[in-house]
Amino acid sequence: MATEADVRSIALAMPGVTERLSWGQPAWFARTLMARIWEPGVLTVKTGEREALAGTEPETFFWTPHHERSPQLVLVRLDGISGELLAELLQDSYRLAGGEHSSRKQP
């Protein structure tokens, strides 16, 4: 079972990630938003696998009508995932949020 503290620890260990509030909830940013607490126990992340995740585990991965216009966003019930899966989701979200570019050395 993952927690908000796990999210914070994993996210802030990535190069260039910062934390600030977004809509009154803790959020983590690379170049753009990479993750945000949607409500207690539920995290929003970016992924290219939203449909597959929700199709396989709809009790853990889902979205609301608010997220329809953003097909990369998925909501994750933290009590339904392991710390290892959380780290994978956050790494993918970091890359999609532009974090991969901020960690590269400029020529």
Side-chain angles (χ1 to χ4, degrees):
M1 177 171 123
T3 66
E4 183 178 325
D6 295 329
V7 174
R8 179 172 285 110
S9 176
I10 294 166
L12 292 176
M14 295 179 193
V17 172
T18 59
E19 180 179 341
R20 63 182 184 267
L21 292 179
S22 173
W23 295 91
Q25 297 290 342
W28 297 271
F29 294 81
R31 287 183 145 203
T32 63
L33 177 73
M34 70 175 256
R36 180 171 80 83
I37 298 297
W38 178 253
E39 60 188 39
V42 178
L43 180 70
T44 305
V45 294
K46 290 183 177 181
T47 181
E49 304 294 324
R50 178 168 89 167
E51 297 283 340
L53 290 168
T56 304
E57 296 182 59
E59 66 284 349
T60 301
F61 301 98
F62 64 103
W63 62 90
T64 69
H66 172 84
H67 300 93
E68 284 296 329
R69 62 190 169 141
S70 302
Q72 287 187 323
L73 296 180
V74 69
L75 296 169
V76 183
R77 287 190 176 90
L78 291 173
D79 64 0
I81 63 170
S82 66
E84 183 178 317
L85 180 54
L86 174 63
E88 289 176 25
L89 291 167
L90 287 171
Q91 187 64 44
D92 190 35
S93 191
Y94 173 77
R95 183 182 55 77
L96 291 169
E100 185 175 90
H101 301 292
S102 63
S103 65
R104 289 186 189 154
K105 296 196 186 256
Q106 297 296 319

